[in-house]
Amino acid sequence: MSSEPRMALPELASMKTDGRKIVMVTAYDAPSARLASQAGVDLVLVGDSAAMTVLGHESTVPATMDEMVVLTRAARSGIGRPLLIGDMPFGSFQVSDEDALKNAIRFVKEADADAVKLEGGGASVSRVRTLVGAGIPVMGHIGLTPQSATMLGGYKAQGRTASKARQLFADAQALQAAGCFAIVLEAVPARVATRITESLRIPTIGIGAGAGCDGQVLVWHDLLGITEGRLARFVKQYGHLAEETRKALEAYAAEVRSGAFPAEEHSYGISDEELALFESELDSGALVGDAGGDWL
Ligand code: KIV
């Protein structure tokens, strides 16, 4: 685990005041968190998007607390300076404030997360107040909240009418008042997100919410080109790792099949004397292989 000092919340707040953009990315294991740290990212979110990106589900809903804790703990092992945020999965905070607190404490105690994120306005505001009251920093998340995508009519942009934009604005103010240190705005019209951002003291992190947010987040597999097929409009791919990975695996398979791998430099040696001794034992019949019915 890194001994680097962790990013502190006041520093994040000052990034908004100074107009320095905040960079957030999701990561779900130690090597990814390490690479994100080395790249100078500010915030690492172990998103419940893990349900889709690494666990193979169709939506984020099946992610469990146990899975999220394991993934967050793994990310902690690789992370350096960025703030590590555990995403509270569906079912971990909807029932009651007490339940939300119990689960948020798991992220902090078992996974060493610096903060948690939870989706929604409304009842989530009271959850935020409870968690912050217990000393756990909370990031809010409004707009398109994938855990309630069915209720929202699918994976669609939110806040596209004046009344919906007003609701988003009200949710953002309430989450700030409840103590959130930042809020994710997902799939919100850029001009609405900009006005909400300007109205808040705390930073907004946009995903499909335009350049007026204080920071941006993208999902690891989307931005690196590991996700294939249809992508959301807001995704920009900065790499083509699926293609590169497939090429590397094909080359490996071809070399194994042709005998080109492993080469001399990938193999271990034995002295002539030791090998001669071993071979004389074999030849004398002192060692009996599987063909003789005995295990060596
Ligand atoms: O789960 C996730 O990855 C997220 C981000 C897209 C913000 O919530």
Side-chain angles (χ1 to χ4, degrees), residues 30-93:
S32 317
R34 186 174 305 115
L35 289 169
S37 306
Q38 289 165 356
V41 159
D42 302 304
L43 309 176
V44 168
L45 169 71
V46 183
D48 65 349
S49 50
M52 300 170 79
T53 56
V54 297
L55 300 176
H57 295 293
E58 292 288 317
S59 78
T60 62
V61 169
T64 67
M65 265 310 293
D66 285 348
E67 288 164 346
M68 292 305 299
V69 166
V70 167
L71 299 174
T72 308
R73 179 72 235 175
R76 167 56 74 202
S77 306
I79 207 167
R81 202 178 111 71
L83 206 71
L84 179 66
I85 304 161
D87 202 5
M88 299 196 66
F90 182 70
S92 70
F93 65 94

Side-chain angles (χ1 to χ4, degrees), residues 6 20 30 50 78 111 136 152 154 161 167 272 286 295:
R6 297 184 190 182
R20 282 180 291 144
I136 300 174
L152 298 173
T161 63
Q167 184 57 52
D272 290 346
W295 176 242

